[in-house]
Amino acid sequence: MSLRLVTEETPGRGLVAVALTVAAGGDDDPPGRHGTAHLVEHLMFPRGEGHEAGGFVALVQEAGGMCNAETHRDHTVLHTVVPADALPDVLALEARRLLRFRPAPATVRSETAVIAEEIRAAGAGARLWDTVLAALHPGARHAYGTTAELTGVTAEEAESFFRAHYRPERAVLSVVGDVDAGRVAALVEREFGAWAPGPPTAAPAPHLPSGHVPSPHRPALGVAIPYARDGVAVGHALADARGDFRLYVAQVVLCELLRRSRLPHLVATAPEVDAATVQCGYQGQWLASAAPDLALVLLGRVPGAGTEEAVGRWLEALGELAATPPGETELRRAARVLRAGCHRQSDSLPARAVTHARAALLLPHATPDALPAHLAAVTPADVSTAARALLAAPRTVHPLEGAA
């Protein structure tokens, strides 16, 4: 069996979390079909007949559990937590929806409508991130999708995407909880043994209107972006977490330090800027993906202030840290906040299952219990190095224009 299995025994909790993580995400969407990976994630929660009449979610809830899923740019994760004695049933359900994936056209249409509402609810923040990401990393987009392109996805296209990408050699199954590793291995072999690799299939070309040329719909570098208010968005390319994990972690700490202490000082002293924040990774989710990522800086401009002046103030703040390492106390405050977040997350069985799978599939250094130590190891000199790397890396600047 080519499906990789990661098991962590945590006796006494009475619960078990199961996460299936597949190396398929928004960056794998076919041209003209942005959001296909997100749609397939939704279709992995089938509504069947007979025994499955309540659907996957209802059956998990009937067992006293809960389930959810996330689509990222380079992977999709489906995670479930149930009482430990329900593990055999959950693994059987998990394998069944993989082996019986046959979405009906009506289901595709209904789930497309659900995703359209999610896109609408995400609002300006998602559109802003999409624009900056595409300008900094051409061809990359967040995994939500666009309503216009999703509307054309057929059941055949969704199934072809699934057959091409949802394959055992591209997946990791992680099981964390009150279980015995040997019994888990036997159950997984029994339920997933029939999930064979088989030859990959190419997804059919989408049925686009005559004369339409697929396009990522990226605006030109520096294009103004409609937003809640006037301001500036600055995107900086982060270090590759796979190639230089230490530098990436130092940049995470750098962003937290900037957010906690340096940016409030900038707002208090710079006459051109009346608000400033920085996010490391999509919506602040660092290490949620191994795909090329960015730090997004949002600056509020006071009336009459120009874009260049506001950006100049931000680069001065970053340059100060590049030239002079922060004090030990300032660094430790920022690192402690991040470490506390890691410890809180590691208390959650589903979070541990998801993190184990991501580590096995994408980021081998990012195991649940290793992250706090990596954060604690960052030195003031590392923060200065991280700031210099951020200044030297590609960046993009976009004016933000509030409604008149």
Side-chain angles (χ1 to χ4, degrees):
M1 183 176 66
S2 53
L3 171 66
R4 282 173 286 177
L5 172 65
V6 178
T7 304
E8 180 185 3
E9 299 179 1
T10 58
R13 298 287 292 271
L15 296 171
V16 62
V18 177
L20 177 70
T21 303
V22 182
D27 285 354
D28 299 298
D29 289 342
R33 292 294 188 256
H34 184 200
T36 301
H38 190 187
L39 173 61
V40 169
E41 173 224 300
H42 277 241
L43 296 172
M44 282 293 290
F45 294 87
R47 301 178 189 277
E49 298 178 356
H51 175 64
E52 299 177 70
F56 183 90
V57 175
L59 291 169
V60 168
Q61 291 175 341
E62 184 180 322
M66 60 185 68
C67 56
N68 211 334
E70 307 164 16
T71 303
H72 295 268
R73 288 170 51 210
D74 54 5
H75 71 283
T76 299
V77 56
L78 306 108
H79 48 89
T80 303
V81 60
V82 291
D85 59 5
L87 178 63
D89 293 334
V90 166
L91 290 177
L93 287 170
E94 193 76 66
R96 185 182 305 160
R97 62 177 174 174
L98 287 166
L99 297 170
R100 300 184 184 180
F101 188 85
R102 297 286 190 280
T107 304
V108 171
R109 288 194 296 272
S110 65
E111 292 305 319
T112 297
V114 172
I115 295 174
E117 180 58 25
E118 290 182 358
I119 294 171
R120 187 201 64 77
R127 291 191 295 272
L128 169 61
W129 185 272
D130 202 10
T131 301
V132 177
L133 179 69
L136 198 58
H137 300 299
R141 296 173 295 180
H142 70 75
Y144 266 100
T146 62
T147 302
E149 295 186 18
L150 274 168
T151 300
V153 179
T154 66
E156 178 189 18
E157 289 171 350
E159 184 171 347
S160 293
F161 183 95
F162 174 88
R163 301 293 169 208
H165 297 286
Y166 278 64
R167 301 162 53 77
E169 72 275 18
R170 295 171 57 89
V172 172
L173 185 72
S174 51
V175 179
V176 176
D178 200 351
V179 296
D180 174 77
R183 180 168 181 262
V184 171
L187 288 170
V188 170
E189 180 65 37
R190 184 185 76 187
E191 300 297 343
F192 292 85
W195 192 27
T201 58
H207 302 292
L208 301 172
S210 177
H212 178 83
V213 178
S215 165
H217 304 295
R218 295 194 309 273
L221 181 66
V223 68
I225 303 172
Y227 202 60
R229 55 157 300 176
D230 289 344
V232 186
V234 185
H236 292 266
L238 291 171
D240 186 341
R242 294 163 296 185
D244 196 336
F245 189 75
R246 180 174 178 176
L247 178 58
Y248 179 93
V249 171
Q251 288 181 335
V252 172
V253 175
L254 166 68
C255 288
E256 182 64 22
L257 187 150
L258 284 160
R259 186 187 70 82
R260 289 183 57 81
S261 56
R262 298 302 175 100
L263 291 184
H265 178 74
L266 173 67
V267 172
T269 58
E272 301 88 354
V273 177
D274 62 4
T277 186
V278 59
Q279 291 182 339
C280 190
Y282 180 59
Q283 295 183 345
Q285 299 179 66
W286 51 279
L287 279 185
S289 169
D293 213 338
L294 70 143
L296 178 63
V297 181
L298 299 181
L299 305 171
R301 286 186 289 121
V302 302
T307 297
E308 291 184 3
E309 289 83 356
V311 173
R313 293 292 188 175
W314 153 250
L315 294 177
E316 287 174 7
L318 190 56
E320 288 176 4
L321 280 168
T324 306
E328 192 72 31
T329 299
E330 184 183 19
L331 169 60
R332 290 305 151 210
R333 285 174 179 164
R336 276 200 299 265
V337 171
L338 294 168
R339 289 166 58 201
C342 289
H343 286 303
R344 285 195 302 270
Q345 191 174 39
S346 69
D347 279 343
S348 161
L349 292 183
R352 291 188 71 85
V354 169
T355 304
H356 273 304
R358 282 180 180 152
L361 193 65
L362 301 168
L363 297 160
H365 299 292
T367 56
D369 297 321
L371 288 176
H374 287 300
L375 292 165
V378 174
T379 67
D382 290 335
V383 173
S384 279
T385 299
R388 289 193 295 271
L390 212 61
L391 284 168
R395 68 173 176 263
T396 182
V397 176
H398 297 265
L400 303 177
E401 294 184 347

